[in-house]
Amino acid sequence: MPTMADVARSAGVSVATVSHVLNGTRPVLPHTRQAVLDAIDALGYTPNTLARSLVTSRTRSIGLAVSAISNPYFTEILQGVEAAALEAGYSLLIADPHDDPGHERKVVQLLHERRVDGMIVAPSSHPQNLVGYLRRHAVPTVFLDRVIDAVVTDGKAIAGGAGTAPGEAAPWYDQVCAESAEPTARLVTHLAGLGHRRIGLVAGLPGLSTTSERVSGYRDGLTAAGLAHDERLLVSGNSESTGAEQATAALFALPDPPTALVTANNAMTIGALRSLRRQGLSVPDDIALCCFDDFAWADLFSPRLTAIAQPSRELGAQAVQVLLHRLDEPRRPTRTVRLPCAFVHRTSCGCPEEPDGSEEPADIASSTLSEKGTTS
């Protein structure tokens, strides 16, 4: 196999120059860089990643720990992470924590033992042990989709939750997520504008920031529409299909059930629809439905699902970029980046089909990317 020395001889440069081109450790004149790249291509040289990691103390690999990889939302996030990592010259190691705090801690440790340069993690609802491990071992990490406000003292993590005010418990880690509260409020006010006065919410797993933010948005939407808060209309589907099916059945066992329903993720939308079908209820004739999370087949349902679309691939790509910035500048202040969602208006809410059968262009529920910087 050709060596780095062979490349250097062919390009007429030193071995050190070849190393700088490969590792980006020092600027190289454009014509010299091109000569090295041409020599690499001509000789078919493949860098020894293991040897390079021993020299640089970097493996150029990223650990990704996200639950429910089979979920289309997380699948698209994975695609965004993989594409951005590959473009930056990083490989990806993937693990599924199954939303279990104990298993989460184990898989993160396994990824760390593989000497990944940094991690991207969608934390569970009880991430104290996870945060404690990451902090003790100084692992560069970006929290993805779900955010945490936490401080760690003597190896113990105290999670402040999504509602912690800035300055009370500044997050130790960079975070990337989508807006949740405002888009959920948008679904509620849309249904209220169609005349609904009893609007239910099938919420996600307690303890997740996405759940608390969407519940907050639901309540904000009711307030904005001048509607009463009936806590019986707020039920938990635990972020999965079976739980949502049971929660929806409970809603329609009430003496005065809702006339409209918001589901807080795509898996729970499936469960809610299954429950409604079993009860012989038709959407939107008997019950209007809006959902958080758009997915590939949402447009194929009859009726077509009115939904909030999250920028899933962009979330994954942004998480990689934030992690790479952290690796380049370990002492930079931490930051939380929130990306906007889109309101996709279809017909499950009870609105008529557009005359030409086309879909109304998506509205941006949160028009600009926001970024909150906090000092760790």
Side-chain angles (χ1 to χ4, degrees), residues 194-224:
L194 296 175
H196 295 281
R197 293 294 174 265
R198 292 185 60 77
I199 302 171
L201 174 69
V202 180
L205 186 68
L208 298 180
S209 67
T210 48
T211 297
S212 60
E213 289 176 8
R214 290 168 197 174
V215 168
S216 177
Y218 165 73
R219 289 173 172 153
D220 289 345
L222 292 176
T223 298

Side-chain angles (χ1 to χ4, degrees), residues 352-358:
E353 190 77 57
E354 291 298 302
D356 60 357
S358 64

